[in-house]
Amino acid sequence: GAVVSQHPSWVICKSGTSVKIECRSLDFQATTMFWYRQFPKQSLMLMATSNEGSKATYEQGVEKDKFLINHASLTLSTLTVTSAHPEDSSFYICSAPDRGNYGYTFGSGTRLTVV
Amino acid sequence: GENVGLHLPTLSVQEGDNSIINCAYSNSASDYFIWYKQESGKGPQFIIDIRSNMDKRQGQRVTVLLNKTVKHLSLQIAATQPGDSAVYFCAENNGDNFNKFYFGSGTKLNVKP
């Protein structure tokens, strides 16, 4: 079945630095990638939608200059958390539509801790 | 996002019993719903889906029921097993973008051996 590979699985960074998270579709082309954030014991919150070859669209309240999204190819989308602060610590998950069936396929998530 | 919420944040069941997890949604235009299972530290995993032209769909040990009148759906797990312990989310398609979903708040299912 469709697989979305997400890296890194966890990262610790200092406050003020930037962190890049990658999501790759391994056996299918993902023209669209969705990025979610999940705080402990909470649901997934859709942050933005990346589209290959065009600008990402952000959900209301999500700072596009802080969460830079790039969809460089049909198999790669990246999320960069810029000037990270402790409140950005969260679980970030990407997902891509699975054209075959089953809605869409999720990456394994990235646990970001900003210290 | 859409307001998709759950009635029960935590559900504890005995192994072998049946589990029922509920979800309410607010957008009457939503036409596609998915139930996901999320184990600790992992991404969500598809369980079962249902379209708005159906009121019931069955999978292996799982059944989803959709009541469009009251905008409610439920996930039934038969003969619950310890491996079913996880957080379960319903996700709602907003009707404008087939692949764009909003998630409910989740229910944690604890299966006691």
Side-chain angles (χ1 to χ4, degrees), chain B residues 5-46:
Chain B
L6 298 178
H7 298 309
L8 298 173
T10 305
L11 176 65
S12 293
V13 299
Q14 203 69 38
E15 180 179 359
D17 288 350
N18 296 332
S19 303
I20 299 176
I21 301 171
N22 297 301
C23 181
Y25 63 96
S26 61
N27 187 352
S28 57
S30 294
D31 57 6
Y32 184 47
F33 305 87
I34 301 178
W35 278 101
Y36 285 96
K37 172 186 180 182
Q38 186 180 28
E39 297 175 325
S40 181
K42 298 182 180 180
Q45 178 185 7
F46 172 93

Side-chain angles (χ1 to χ4, degrees), chain A residues 36-45 91 93 106, chain B residues 4-6 8-9 21-24 33-49 64 73-75 77 84 86-92 101-109:
Chain A
Y36 290 84
R37 178 168 56 183
Q38 185 178 32
F39 292 106
K41 298 184 180 180
Q42 294 188 25
S43 186
L44 285 75
M45 185 192 79
F91 192 55
I93 312 173
F106 284 83
Chain B
V4 181
L6 298 178
L8 298 173
I21 301 171
N22 297 301
C23 181
F33 305 87
I34 301 178
W35 278 101
Y36 285 96
K37 172 186 180 182
Q38 186 180 28
E39 297 175 325
S40 181
K42 298 182 180 180
Q45 178 185 7
F46 172 93
I47 300 174
I48 192 168
D49 60 354
V64 56
L73 68 159
S74 66
L75 176 69
I77 304 174
D84 295 327
V87 178
Y88 291 81
F89 296 97
C90 63
E92 167 194 18
F101 287 83
Y102 294 93
F103 283 74
S105 53
T107 292
K108 183 175 183 180
L109 177 64

